[in-house]
Amino acid sequence: MKTNKHHTLRLVQQRGTVRAHDLVQQWAYSPATARSYLSYLSRQDLLERTSVGYALTTRGGERLRYFDVAGCPHPECPLCERKTGSYLCPRCGYEVAKQDVRILPERDFLVVVRHAGVYCPLCLKLLFPESQALLLGIPKEP
Ligand SMILES: [Zn+2]
Ligand SMILES: [Zn+2]
């Protein structure tokens, strides 16, 4: 079994902390692979080592949210199978077709300011802030 960052980070989020043997049990990584993969992710600042195992860092949590919406670069990721042509809202599960997404401009609603970015059309969750959406090549609303 090859390592997969997306589902490894998801497992850490679900369990709070993981140790190498959790990865061995879950995906039949070899014990050596599991250990070196966890330390690789912590060198990338996505996980941190604690006394009870590896935990998600803030950056690791952000990366996981990004993967959940935009998909991850892993070619056969079981969590991203459906996501080839769309972004998935992590809150309500709504799929927005990639060709339909637009960056909405900042707007002042008197009580709240809606910052520029891409929003789920169903539940209005912010999917990407403008800076990230521009990196993904999402056009602005005309
Ligand atoms: Zn994935
Ligand atoms: Zn939504």
Side-chain angles (χ1 to χ4, degrees):
M1 177 74 192
K2 276 201 180 142
T3 55
N4 173 322
K5 195 178 281 180
H6 191 175
H7 69 194
T8 303
L9 294 178
R10 170 61 58 75
L11 184 77
V12 182
Q13 185 196 45
Q14 282 169 347
R15 303 229 174 143
T17 57
V18 299
R19 290 174 184 278
H21 74 90
D22 293 313
L23 305 191
V24 173
Q25 275 182 347
Q26 193 77 15
W27 298 299
Y29 291 174
S30 75
T33 302
R35 274 195 303 276
S36 67
Y37 195 54
L38 286 172
S39 70
Y40 164 76
L41 292 176
S42 69
R43 282 198 304 279
Q44 293 198 333
D45 196 27
L46 300 174
L47 297 181
E48 62 188 341
R49 195 168 196 161
T50 71
S51 57
V52 286
Y54 285 88
L56 219 52
T57 60
T58 309
R59 196 171 155 189
E62 281 167 5
R63 184 69 56 89
L64 182 60
R65 275 196 296 282
Y66 174 76
F67 283 164
D68 284 344
V69 176
C72 73
H74 196 276
E76 289 152 29
C77 176
L79 297 172
C80 294
E81 264 171 355
R82 301 188 299 121
K83 247 179 266 172
T84 45
S86 58
Y87 297 117
L88 199 64
C89 174
R91 181 153 77 190
C92 72
Y94 186 79
E95 284 185 59
V96 198
K98 280 188 179 167
Q99 71 263 29
D100 292 342
V101 294
R102 295 289 178 272
I103 300 172
L104 300 179
E106 179 162 305
R107 194 171 291 170
D108 194 340
F109 290 111
L110 297 177
V111 249
V112 284
V113 174
R114 186 194 66 196
H115 296 287
V118 174
Y119 290 82
C120 173
L122 209 59
C123 72
L124 305 181
K125 180 183 168 56
L126 176 68
L127 300 181
F128 303 111
E130 184 176 28
S131 55
Q132 203 168 54
L134 288 172
L135 286 176
L136 290 166
I138 296 172
K140 293 191 185 193
E141 193 185 58

